[in-house]
Amino acid sequence: MPIRNTTERWGHLSIALHWITVVMILSLVTVGFVMEDLPNTPFKRDVYLLHKSFGLTVLALTALRLGWRFVQPTPALPAGMPAWQRWAAHGGHLGLYALMIAIPASGWTYNWASNFATPYFGWTLMERAGAVDRELKAIAGVVHEWGVYALLALLVAHAGAAFYHHYQLKDAVLRRMAPWIKPAA
């Protein structure tokens, strides 16, 4: 399989970026749901710092994915696919990308509005704001939290559509992004 996409298949780079992003997002969501309840210890601080660093990594990977997607062909949707399904597929991907930008960006904004420096694996990407901005912090917190719920809903729909294509329609949609999966019987 080539590194580049074709009109029939995703290339190695697209597949790798997709699955790395999936693992990172699911890990970040899991950690995000439990880290608030950790006792106030240095471990909790370290978990937050890692959560922020990996969240910014997802933002960078999303920018890379979008850039790659703009310069590469996209595999065609199956022939005969109803217009509403084409619209749902395109809208779903647009929503996923928008949330993969909005969630880490809102986390970054929340952190800055809370008057914390922006960490990235031990480096400081951005210094403190100088004061807490309660309004911006509240807005960013809502976007971050509800963005995660929206992302989870879209991920379930996305995976459900892939399994529908694989098991019900028995086409190659899922196998193009997961080539290790054998054709449906």
Side-chain angles (χ1 to χ4, degrees), residues 69-167:
R69 191 165 175 147
F70 284 130
V71 299
Q72 288 294 297
T74 302
L77 293 172
M81 192 172 178
W84 73 267
Q85 286 182 3
R86 289 178 180 281
W87 177 88
H90 292 304
H93 282 104
L94 180 64
L96 288 168
Y97 279 113
L99 289 166
M100 287 188 296
I101 292 168
I103 293 167
S106 63
W108 187 350
T109 303
Y110 181 90
N111 185 70
W112 184 77
S114 300
N115 198 29
F116 291 115
T118 303
Y120 190 72
F121 296 111
W123 296 320
T124 299
L125 289 183
M126 195 162 69
E127 292 297 331
R128 296 171 187 257
V132 173
D133 184 335
R134 294 190 192 289
E135 256 184 77
L136 183 57
K137 180 180 170 184
I139 292 167
V142 168
V143 170
H144 195 70
E145 181 179 353
W146 287 98
V148 168
Y149 295 128
L151 180 64
L152 289 173
L154 273 178
L155 287 174
V156 168
H158 182 71
F163 290 133
Y164 172 75
H165 276 274
H166 187 71
Y167 291 109

Side-chain angles (χ1 to χ4, degrees), residues 49-70:
L49 291 173
L50 286 171
H51 181 80
K52 294 170 187 181
S53 295
F54 280 108
L56 290 171
T57 302
V58 167
L59 182 61
L61 284 174
T62 302
L64 179 62
R65 287 181 70 181
L66 285 170
W68 185 248
R69 191 165 175 147
F70 284 130

